[in-house]
Each structure stands twice: as C-alpha cells, then as structure tokens.
Amino acid sequence: MGLVVKKTVSKVKPSRRRRDALLAGTEAPFIHELYHGSFSLYTHPSIRIRHRLSWRRRGEDLEHRINELEKSLGSVSEKRASERRGRVKAQQALREALAQSESHNSHNTIYPMRPIGTIQSCFSTRNGTPRQPLLVSLARASLVFDPALVPPASLEGLEEYSHCWIIYVFHLNTDIEKLWRKPSQSKLKAKVRVPRLNGERKGVFATRSPHRPCPIGLTVAKVEEIQKDKVLLSGVDLVDGTPVLDIKPYLPYSDSIQGASVPNWVQEDCLLAVASVSFSDVFSSSITSCWKRIEKKSLYGSADEFKSLITQVLSWDIRSMSQRNKPQDTSDADSTVYHLVLEGLDVSYMIDNESNILVQDVSLPNNLEGVAET
C-alpha cells in the first residue's frame, strides 16, 4: 500500500525578505510564491502596503495641484484687485482735475444734452403759438420719442396721470446758433419787453420770455393718449419741431402751490383778449377744399373742429407788440391782413380798432416759409 502525499497551501505570512524585495523592486521570489500558491493574493500585507503607498502618492499629487491652482487663483484675484484700485484712483484723479478746472473756468463748463423726442404740433410757426400752456384747450401735439433713447417701456404708467411737465429747447430763437457756438460773442439781455405791460421792460428771470441765457423752456400739457413711442397731448404752447429734453408727471400735491403770489400785471387776464372772432363766407367755402388735402394727417377729426381751433387761438391777440403799437389811420385800420399757419394751412385775418377779428380765408401755401407774418 503506497503513501498518498497531499500538498497543502501554506497560510503562513510572507517573510520579511519578501516584503523587502517587494519594496525594493525585486519581486522575483514574490512572483514565484504567487504562482505556486504559497500565500493568498488578497490578504498579502505587501499588496496592501503598495496600494496605500499608491493612494498616498496620488493624494500628495492632488494636494500639490490644488495648492498650485489656489496660488494661481490668488495671483489672478490680486491682479484684478490691483487693476480695480488703479481705476478707482484714476477716476478720483480725473474728478479732482475736472473740479479744479471748473473752479478756474466755470463759465466754460458744458453739459451736453441730447433731445429724447420731437414735438409734432398744430402750430406750424411761432406766430400764433400760445404764450402760455392750457390757454388753447384744442391745441394738440404728438411727442414722438427717439426709439434709440427711449424704449416703449419707459412710458408705462404715464397714462395714469392727467398732465405732464415738458422740458424743451427754444430752437427757433434767432440768436441760438450764436449763443451755443460763440457764447463769448453773445450778450445777455438783462431786460425784455413784456406783452402784458405793453412793452414795459422787466428782468428776463421775472418773465417767461424764450430769449434766455440758457434757452430751455418748461411747459405743462394734458396727456390724452399713449401710443407705443409717442404721447398725444393737448393744451400745448409748443411749435412744430420743438426738441424735447425730458418729461415728468404733474403732481398736484407738490406742483400746485396754495397761496402763491404773483405781480398784479400777471393777474390781469383780459389784457390780450379780443372782443370777437367771426368768419367770412369765403372762408366757409375754402375750408372744405383745404380740409380734404390735410384730413388724413391732421390732428383733428373734422373741418368744424379745426375751425374751433382757429377761434380759440385768435381769441387772444397773437400779434407782436410792434404790430399792436403800430400807428394806423382810421380809414386804413381794417386793411392790414395778418397770417396764422395752423396744421400747414395759411389762415388770413384782420382785426379792427375794437379788437374784433374777421377770418377772411384759408389756403394751402406752396411754401410755408414764404408766408408773411405781417
């Protein structure tokens, strides 16, 4: 009977020599034992140590990369902060330089303002445009905004107000080009003639004369409707083409001042009122043909409404002070014909010594600039 020899797998731990060989890189004995089953692969301490060392090296590499990134990020942040500090210092220096320059040359300081819109008014020329707002309730205009400067959302909520303030430029002043381009050659007229005082002079800042050191006007108008990029207004005293700088809602609780005092000559409302306004038969026949030419573009719904506008405008003596004070012979008093241009139509009228106005005719002139405002 022969002997049966059974080979058993040793469960002993690998010797220190094998571990040292593993660490030193001489793994031949280790590989030999691996293939001859002298130890378990998953329980061998050498494998565990190697994995630990590998993960430690990876952790150290990752930590090193994180430190480098943090240093790089800190460097970029410091550069941005330095640039920001530089810009702030430059802006402060610029403001200080401008302040010093303005203190020495305050008269040369310019604040450029760009119009945000333009008025399309029933008043084609300065002649006949009311001297004050709301005197002619039928006086209509459209404020058309520049879409590049005023988005439609800017007008949201304005329809909730009944009136608005309008800040504009007296662009038709005869001296405006000289005032802006050569201010040193433009002399301020400290006093102006006041129509209500029959030519008596008052300080320019005690009046609402358009001829001012800075030709900016302020008026109020009724808000009729908002249409996308424009506002429909009434009661205006603005001539067609007026550049608008800004509008603001009218606030009765702050804009209406109870107990405000004014000079006596301002309170006399009837100084420029006329006695009556009537129309000739020629006008009645002419308005029918003229209205067909303008009704599609007109701010008014009918010829009768346009006629009412003429009545309201001429209810005040719109003639200049020199025209009113011009000596006239009694026999020749009714011969002077005056002109008023509304909605592009030339309205001719006469006024007698008793301030009675007769509207003679209406026509569509070929050249509005050639219409004499005698």
Short mmCIF file of all heavy atoms in Angstrom, two decimals, residues 162-208:
data_model
loop_
_atom_site.label_atom_id
_atom_site.label_comp_id
_atom_site.label_asym_id
_atom_site.label_seq_id
_atom_site.Cartn_x
_atom_site.Cartn_y
_atom_site.Cartn_z
N SER A 162 -52.99 112.80 -15.53
CA SER A 162 -53.77 113.64 -16.43
C SER A 162 -52.90 114.65 -17.17
O SER A 162 -53.21 115.03 -18.30
CB SER A 162 -54.86 114.39 -15.64
OG SER A 162 -54.27 115.27 -14.69
N HIS A 163 -51.81 115.10 -16.54
CA HIS A 163 -50.94 116.11 -17.14
C HIS A 163 -49.48 115.74 -16.92
O HIS A 163 -49.15 114.92 -16.06
CB HIS A 163 -51.22 117.50 -16.54
CG HIS A 163 -52.58 118.03 -16.82
ND1 HIS A 163 -53.71 117.56 -16.17
CD2 HIS A 163 -53.02 118.97 -17.71
CE1 HIS A 163 -54.78 118.21 -16.63
NE2 HIS A 163 -54.39 119.06 -17.56
N CYS A 164 -48.63 116.37 -17.71
CA CYS A 164 -47.18 116.15 -17.56
C CYS A 164 -46.42 117.43 -17.85
O CYS A 164 -46.89 118.30 -18.61
CB CYS A 164 -46.70 115.02 -18.47
SG CYS A 164 -46.73 115.41 -20.23
N TRP A 165 -45.27 117.55 -17.22
CA TRP A 165 -44.34 118.64 -17.49
C TRP A 165 -43.48 118.27 -18.69
O TRP A 165 -43.11 117.11 -18.87
CB TRP A 165 -43.44 118.93 -16.29
CG TRP A 165 -44.14 119.47 -15.08
CD1 TRP A 165 -44.43 118.81 -13.92
CD2 TRP A 165 -44.63 120.80 -14.90
NE1 TRP A 165 -45.07 119.64 -13.03
CE2 TRP A 165 -45.21 120.88 -13.61
CE3 TRP A 165 -44.65 121.95 -15.71
CZ2 TRP A 165 -45.78 122.04 -13.11
CZ3 TRP A 165 -45.22 123.10 -15.21
CH2 TRP A 165 -45.78 123.15 -13.94
N ILE A 166 -43.13 119.26 -19.50
CA ILE A 166 -42.28 119.03 -20.67
C ILE A 166 -41.13 120.05 -20.62
O ILE A 166 -41.36 121.26 -20.55
CB ILE A 166 -43.07 119.19 -21.98
CG1 ILE A 166 -44.25 118.22 -21.99
CG2 ILE A 166 -42.16 118.96 -23.18
CD1 ILE A 166 -45.20 118.43 -23.17
N ILE A 167 -39.91 119.54 -20.66
CA ILE A 167 -38.72 120.39 -20.70
C ILE A 167 -38.19 120.36 -22.13
O ILE A 167 -37.94 119.27 -22.68
CB ILE A 167 -37.66 119.89 -19.71
CG1 ILE A 167 -38.25 119.85 -18.30
CG2 ILE A 167 -36.42 120.78 -19.74
CD1 ILE A 167 -37.34 119.22 -17.27
N TYR A 168 -38.01 121.51 -22.74
CA TYR A 168 -37.69 121.56 -24.16
C TYR A 168 -36.71 122.69 -24.46
O TYR A 168 -36.28 123.42 -23.56
CB TYR A 168 -38.97 121.76 -24.98
CG TYR A 168 -39.71 123.05 -24.69
CD1 TYR A 168 -39.54 124.18 -25.49
CD2 TYR A 168 -40.59 123.15 -23.61
CE1 TYR A 168 -40.21 125.36 -25.23
CE2 TYR A 168 -41.27 124.33 -23.34
CZ TYR A 168 -41.07 125.43 -24.14
OH TYR A 168 -41.73 126.60 -23.87
N VAL A 169 -36.37 122.82 -25.73
CA VAL A 169 -35.41 123.83 -26.19
C VAL A 169 -36.13 124.84 -27.08
O VAL A 169 -36.91 124.45 -27.96
CB VAL A 169 -34.24 123.18 -26.96
CG1 VAL A 169 -33.27 124.25 -27.45
CG2 VAL A 169 -33.52 122.17 -26.08
N PHE A 170 -35.84 126.14 -26.87
CA PHE A 170 -36.37 127.18 -27.75
C PHE A 170 -35.51 127.19 -29.02
O PHE A 170 -34.65 128.06 -29.22
CB PHE A 170 -36.32 128.55 -27.06
CG PHE A 170 -37.33 128.70 -25.95
CD1 PHE A 170 -36.91 128.74 -24.64
CD2 PHE A 170 -38.68 128.81 -26.22
CE1 PHE A 170 -37.82 128.90 -23.60
CE2 PHE A 170 -39.60 128.97 -25.20
CZ PHE A 170 -39.17 129.01 -23.89
N HIS A 171 -35.74 126.23 -29.89
CA HIS A 171 -34.85 126.01 -31.03
C HIS A 171 -35.00 127.04 -32.14
O HIS A 171 -34.14 127.12 -33.04
CB HIS A 171 -35.09 124.62 -31.61
CG HIS A 171 -36.42 124.44 -32.28
ND1 HIS A 171 -37.62 124.58 -31.59
CD2 HIS A 171 -36.75 124.17 -33.57
CE1 HIS A 171 -38.62 124.37 -32.43
NE2 HIS A 171 -38.12 124.12 -33.63
N LEU A 172 -36.07 127.83 -32.11
CA LEU A 172 -36.28 128.82 -33.16
C LEU A 172 -35.83 130.22 -32.76
O LEU A 172 -36.06 131.17 -33.51
CB LEU A 172 -37.77 128.86 -33.56
CG LEU A 172 -38.31 127.59 -34.23
CD1 LEU A 172 -39.77 127.79 -34.63
CD2 LEU A 172 -37.47 127.24 -35.46
N ASN A 173 -35.18 130.36 -31.62
CA ASN A 173 -34.62 131.67 -31.25
C ASN A 173 -33.62 132.09 -32.32
O ASN A 173 -32.78 131.29 -32.76
CB ASN A 173 -33.92 131.60 -29.90
CG ASN A 173 -34.91 131.61 -28.75
OD1 ASN A 173 -36.13 131.59 -28.96
ND2 ASN A 173 -34.39 131.64 -27.53
N THR A 174 -33.69 133.34 -32.72
CA THR A 174 -32.82 133.82 -33.80
C THR A 174 -31.35 133.87 -33.40
O THR A 174 -30.48 133.83 -34.27
CB THR A 174 -33.27 135.22 -34.24
OG1 THR A 174 -33.30 136.10 -33.09
CG2 THR A 174 -34.67 135.18 -34.84
N ASP A 175 -31.06 133.93 -32.10
CA ASP A 175 -29.68 134.03 -31.66
C ASP A 175 -29.14 132.73 -31.08
O ASP A 175 -28.08 132.71 -30.46
CB ASP A 175 -29.54 135.13 -30.61
CG ASP A 175 -30.41 134.86 -29.39
OD1 ASP A 175 -31.30 134.00 -29.47
OD2 ASP A 175 -30.20 135.53 -28.35
N ILE A 176 -29.83 131.63 -31.30
CA ILE A 176 -29.45 130.40 -30.63
C ILE A 176 -28.12 129.84 -31.16
O ILE A 176 -27.31 129.31 -30.40
CB ILE A 176 -30.57 129.36 -30.74
CG1 ILE A 176 -30.31 128.21 -29.76
CG2 ILE A 176 -30.70 128.83 -32.16
CD1 ILE A 176 -31.50 127.28 -29.61
N GLU A 177 -27.87 129.96 -32.46
CA GLU A 177 -26.62 129.47 -33.02
C GLU A 177 -25.44 130.24 -32.45
O GLU A 177 -24.41 129.67 -32.10
CB GLU A 177 -26.65 129.59 -34.55
CG GLU A 177 -27.63 128.65 -35.22
CD GLU A 177 -27.22 127.19 -35.07
OE1 GLU A 177 -26.00 126.93 -34.99
OE2 GLU A 177 -28.11 126.32 -35.02
N LYS A 178 -25.58 131.53 -32.36
CA LYS A 178 -24.52 132.37 -31.81
C LYS A 178 -24.32 132.10 -30.33
O LYS A 178 -23.20 132.10 -29.82
CB LYS A 178 -24.87 133.85 -32.02
CG LYS A 178 -23.77 134.82 -31.65
CD LYS A 178 -24.19 136.24 -31.97
CE LYS A 178 -23.08 137.23 -31.62
NZ LYS A 178 -23.49 138.61 -31.92
N LEU A 179 -25.42 131.83 -29.64
CA LEU A 179 -25.35 131.57 -28.21
C LEU A 179 -24.60 130.28 -27.92
O LEU A 179 -23.82 130.20 -26.96
CB LEU A 179 -26.76 131.49 -27.63
CG LEU A 179 -26.88 131.16 -26.14
CD1 LEU A 179 -26.26 132.27 -25.30
CD2 LEU A 179 -28.33 130.95 -25.76
N TRP A 180 -24.79 129.27 -28.74
CA TRP A 180 -24.17 127.97 -28.49
C TRP A 180 -22.76 127.86 -29.08
O TRP A 180 -21.87 127.29 -28.48
CB TRP A 180 -25.05 126.86 -29.06
CG TRP A 180 -26.24 126.59 -28.19
CD1 TRP A 180 -26.46 127.08 -26.94
CD2 TRP A 180 -27.38 125.79 -28.51
NE1 TRP A 180 -27.66 126.64 -26.46
CE2 TRP A 180 -28.25 125.84 -27.39
CE3 TRP A 180 -27.75 125.06 -29.62
CZ2 TRP A 180 -29.46 125.16 -27.36
CZ3 TRP A 180 -28.96 124.39 -29.59
CH2 TRP A 180 -29.80 124.43 -28.47
N ARG A 181 -22.58 128.39 -30.30
CA ARG A 181 -21.29 128.21 -30.97
C ARG A 181 -20.28 129.29 -30.57
O ARG A 181 -19.08 129.02 -30.53
CB ARG A 181 -21.50 128.22 -32.48
CG ARG A 181 -22.35 127.04 -32.98
CD ARG A 181 -22.43 127.03 -34.49
NE ARG A 181 -23.23 125.89 -34.96
CZ ARG A 181 -23.45 125.62 -36.24
NH1 ARG A 181 -22.91 126.39 -37.19
NH2 ARG A 181 -24.17 124.57 -36.58
N LYS A 182 -20.76 130.49 -30.32
CA LYS A 182 -19.86 131.58 -29.93
C LYS A 182 -20.43 132.30 -28.71
O LYS A 182 -20.89 133.43 -28.80
CB LYS A 182 -19.69 132.56 -31.09
CG LYS A 182 -19.06 131.94 -32.33
CD LYS A 182 -18.93 132.96 -33.45
CE LYS A 182 -18.29 132.33 -34.68
NZ LYS A 182 -18.19 133.33 -35.80
N PRO A 183 -20.44 131.62 -27.57
CA PRO A 183 -21.04 132.21 -26.36
C PRO A 183 -20.37 133.50 -25.92
O PRO A 183 -21.00 134.35 -25.31
CB PRO A 183 -20.91 131.10 -25.32
CG PRO A 183 -19.79 130.24 -25.82
CD PRO A 183 -19.87 130.29 -27.30
N SER A 184 -19.07 133.63 -26.20
CA SER A 184 -18.35 134.84 -25.78
C SER A 184 -18.84 136.07 -26.52
O SER A 184 -18.72 137.20 -26.03
CB SER A 184 -16.85 134.66 -25.99
OG SER A 184 -16.56 134.42 -27.37
N GLN A 185 -19.42 135.86 -27.72
CA GLN A 185 -19.91 136.99 -28.51
C GLN A 185 -21.40 137.24 -28.30
O GLN A 185 -21.97 138.16 -28.88
CB GLN A 185 -19.65 136.73 -30.00
CG GLN A 185 -18.17 136.56 -30.34
CD GLN A 185 -17.96 136.30 -31.81
OE1 GLN A 185 -18.88 136.42 -32.62
NE2 GLN A 185 -16.74 135.95 -32.19
N SER A 186 -22.03 136.41 -27.49
CA SER A 186 -23.46 136.56 -27.22
C SER A 186 -23.66 137.31 -25.91
O SER A 186 -23.21 136.88 -24.86
CB SER A 186 -24.13 135.18 -27.14
OG SER A 186 -25.50 135.32 -26.89
N LYS A 187 -24.32 138.42 -25.98
CA LYS A 187 -24.55 139.25 -24.80
C LYS A 187 -25.96 139.02 -24.25
O LYS A 187 -26.93 139.00 -24.99
CB LYS A 187 -24.35 140.73 -25.14
CG LYS A 187 -22.92 141.08 -25.56
CD LYS A 187 -22.78 142.56 -25.85
CE LYS A 187 -21.35 142.90 -26.24
NZ LYS A 187 -21.20 144.36 -26.54
N LEU A 188 -26.03 138.83 -22.96
CA LEU A 188 -27.31 138.60 -22.31
C LEU A 188 -28.09 139.91 -22.21
O LEU A 188 -27.57 140.93 -21.75
CB LEU A 188 -27.09 138.04 -20.90
CG LEU A 188 -28.31 137.99 -19.99
CD1 LEU A 188 -29.35 137.03 -20.54
CD2 LEU A 188 -27.91 137.60 -18.58
N LYS A 189 -29.35 139.85 -22.65
CA LYS A 189 -30.25 140.97 -22.45
C LYS A 189 -30.90 140.84 -21.09
O LYS A 189 -31.73 139.96 -20.87
CB LYS A 189 -31.31 141.01 -23.56
CG LYS A 189 -30.74 141.31 -24.94
CD LYS A 189 -31.84 141.40 -25.98
CE LYS A 189 -31.28 141.73 -27.35
NZ LYS A 189 -32.34 141.83 -28.38
N ALA A 190 -30.47 141.70 -20.19
CA ALA A 190 -30.95 141.58 -18.80
C ALA A 190 -32.44 141.84 -18.69
O ALA A 190 -33.11 141.27 -17.82
CB ALA A 190 -30.18 142.54 -17.91
N LYS A 191 -33.00 142.70 -19.56
CA LYS A 191 -34.42 143.02 -19.51
C LYS A 191 -35.06 142.77 -20.87
O LYS A 191 -34.44 142.94 -21.92
CB LYS A 191 -34.62 144.49 -19.10
CG LYS A 191 -34.26 144.76 -17.64
CD LYS A 191 -34.68 146.17 -17.24
CE LYS A 191 -34.44 146.42 -15.75
NZ LYS A 191 -34.92 147.75 -15.32
N VAL A 192 -36.32 142.35 -20.82
CA VAL A 192 -37.07 142.08 -22.04
C VAL A 192 -38.41 142.80 -21.97
O VAL A 192 -38.90 143.13 -20.89
CB VAL A 192 -37.30 140.56 -22.23
CG1 VAL A 192 -35.99 139.85 -22.44
CG2 VAL A 192 -38.04 139.98 -21.03
N ARG A 193 -39.01 143.02 -23.13
CA ARG A 193 -40.31 143.67 -23.19
C ARG A 193 -41.41 142.66 -22.86
O ARG A 193 -41.39 141.53 -23.36
CB ARG A 193 -40.56 144.27 -24.57
CG ARG A 193 -39.58 145.39 -24.93
CD ARG A 193 -39.91 145.95 -26.30
NE ARG A 193 -38.98 146.99 -26.68
CZ ARG A 193 -39.08 148.28 -26.35
NH1 ARG A 193 -40.13 148.67 -25.62
NH2 ARG A 193 -38.20 149.16 -26.74
N VAL A 194 -42.35 143.07 -22.05
CA VAL A 194 -43.44 142.20 -21.61
C VAL A 194 -44.72 142.57 -22.36
O VAL A 194 -45.17 143.72 -22.28
CB VAL A 194 -43.67 142.32 -20.09
CG1 VAL A 194 -44.80 141.40 -19.65
CG2 VAL A 194 -42.39 142.00 -19.34
N PRO A 195 -45.32 141.63 -23.12
CA PRO A 195 -46.55 141.94 -23.87
C PRO A 195 -47.68 142.45 -22.98
O PRO A 195 -48.42 143.38 -23.36
CB PRO A 195 -46.91 140.61 -24.52
CG PRO A 195 -45.62 139.86 -24.60
CD PRO A 195 -44.86 140.27 -23.39
N ARG A 196 -47.86 141.89 -21.81
CA ARG A 196 -48.95 142.31 -20.92
C ARG A 196 -48.76 143.74 -20.40
O ARG A 196 -49.73 144.37 -19.99
CB ARG A 196 -49.05 141.36 -19.73
CG ARG A 196 -49.68 140.01 -20.05
CD ARG A 196 -49.64 139.09 -18.86
NE ARG A 196 -50.38 137.86 -19.09
CZ ARG A 196 -51.64 137.64 -18.72
NH1 ARG A 196 -52.30 138.60 -18.10
NH2 ARG A 196 -52.24 136.50 -18.97
N LEU A 197 -47.53 144.21 -20.40
CA LEU A 197 -47.25 145.57 -19.91
C LEU A 197 -47.07 146.54 -21.07
O LEU A 197 -46.51 147.63 -20.87
CB LEU A 197 -46.01 145.55 -19.03
CG LEU A 197 -46.15 144.80 -17.70
CD1 LEU A 197 -44.82 144.81 -16.95
CD2 LEU A 197 -47.25 145.42 -16.85
N ASN A 198 -47.52 146.12 -22.26
CA ASN A 198 -47.49 146.99 -23.42
C ASN A 198 -46.06 147.45 -23.74
O ASN A 198 -45.84 148.60 -24.15
CB ASN A 198 -48.40 148.21 -23.24
CG ASN A 198 -48.78 148.83 -24.56
OD1 ASN A 198 -48.80 148.16 -25.60
ND2 ASN A 198 -49.08 150.14 -24.55
N GLY A 199 -45.13 146.56 -23.55
CA GLY A 199 -43.75 146.88 -23.92
C GLY A 199 -42.86 147.30 -22.77
O GLY A 199 -41.66 147.50 -22.97
N GLU A 200 -43.40 147.42 -21.59
CA GLU A 200 -42.55 147.79 -20.45
C GLU A 200 -41.56 146.65 -20.17
O GLU A 200 -41.88 145.48 -20.31
CB GLU A 200 -43.42 148.03 -19.21
CG GLU A 200 -42.62 148.45 -17.99
CD GLU A 200 -43.50 148.68 -16.78
OE1 GLU A 200 -44.72 148.88 -16.96
OE2 GLU A 200 -42.98 148.63 -15.65
N ARG A 201 -40.34 147.03 -19.79
CA ARG A 201 -39.28 146.03 -19.61
C ARG A 201 -39.26 145.49 -18.17
O ARG A 201 -39.46 146.23 -17.22
CB ARG A 201 -37.92 146.64 -19.95
CG ARG A 201 -37.77 147.00 -21.44
CD ARG A 201 -36.40 147.58 -21.72
NE ARG A 201 -36.25 147.92 -23.12
CZ ARG A 201 -35.84 147.08 -24.06
NH1 ARG A 201 -35.53 145.83 -23.74
NH2 ARG A 201 -35.72 147.48 -25.31
N LYS A 202 -38.96 144.21 -18.11
CA LYS A 202 -38.76 143.53 -16.83
C LYS A 202 -37.52 142.65 -16.94
O LYS A 202 -37.09 142.28 -18.03
CB LYS A 202 -39.98 142.67 -16.47
CG LYS A 202 -41.22 143.45 -16.11
CD LYS A 202 -41.07 144.13 -14.75
CE LYS A 202 -42.34 144.86 -14.35
NZ LYS A 202 -42.21 145.54 -13.03
N GLY A 203 -36.96 142.30 -15.79
CA GLY A 203 -35.82 141.39 -15.80
C GLY A 203 -36.20 140.06 -16.44
O GLY A 203 -37.30 139.54 -16.21
N VAL A 204 -35.29 139.49 -17.24
CA VAL A 204 -35.62 138.30 -18.00
C VAL A 204 -36.05 137.15 -17.09
O VAL A 204 -36.93 136.35 -17.46
CB VAL A 204 -34.42 137.88 -18.88
CG1 VAL A 204 -33.22 137.47 -18.03
CG2 VAL A 204 -34.80 136.73 -19.81
N PHE A 205 -35.50 137.08 -15.89
CA PHE A 205 -35.86 135.98 -14.99
C PHE A 205 -37.18 136.24 -14.26
O PHE A 205 -37.65 135.37 -13.52
CB PHE A 205 -34.74 135.72 -13.99
CG PHE A 205 -33.49 135.20 -14.63
CD1 PHE A 205 -32.28 135.83 -14.43
CD2 PHE A 205 -33.53 134.08 -15.44
CE1 PHE A 205 -31.12 135.35 -15.02
CE2 PHE A 205 -32.38 133.58 -16.04
CZ PHE A 205 -31.17 134.22 -15.83
N ALA A 206 -37.77 137.40 -14.46
CA ALA A 206 -39.10 137.69 -13.92
C ALA A 206 -40.17 137.47 -14.98
O ALA A 206 -41.34 137.78 -14.76
CB ALA A 206 -39.16 139.12 -13.40
N THR A 207 -39.75 136.92 -16.14
CA THR A 207 -40.68 136.67 -17.24
C THR A 207 -40.49 135.24 -17.75
O THR A 207 -39.61 134.52 -17.31
CB THR A 207 -40.43 137.64 -18.40
OG1 THR A 207 -39.20 137.28 -19.06
CG2 THR A 207 -40.32 139.08 -17.90
N ARG A 208 -41.34 134.88 -18.70
CA ARG A 208 -41.20 133.59 -19.37
C ARG A 208 -40.78 133.77 -20.82
O ARG A 208 -41.13 132.98 -21.69
CB ARG A 208 -42.51 132.82 -19.29
CG ARG A 208 -42.89 132.42 -17.87
CD ARG A 208 -44.02 131.44 -17.86
NE ARG A 208 -44.30 130.93 -16.53
CZ ARG A 208 -45.19 129.98 -16.25
NH1 ARG A 208 -45.90 129.44 -17.24
NH2 ARG A 208 -45.38 129.57 -15.02
#
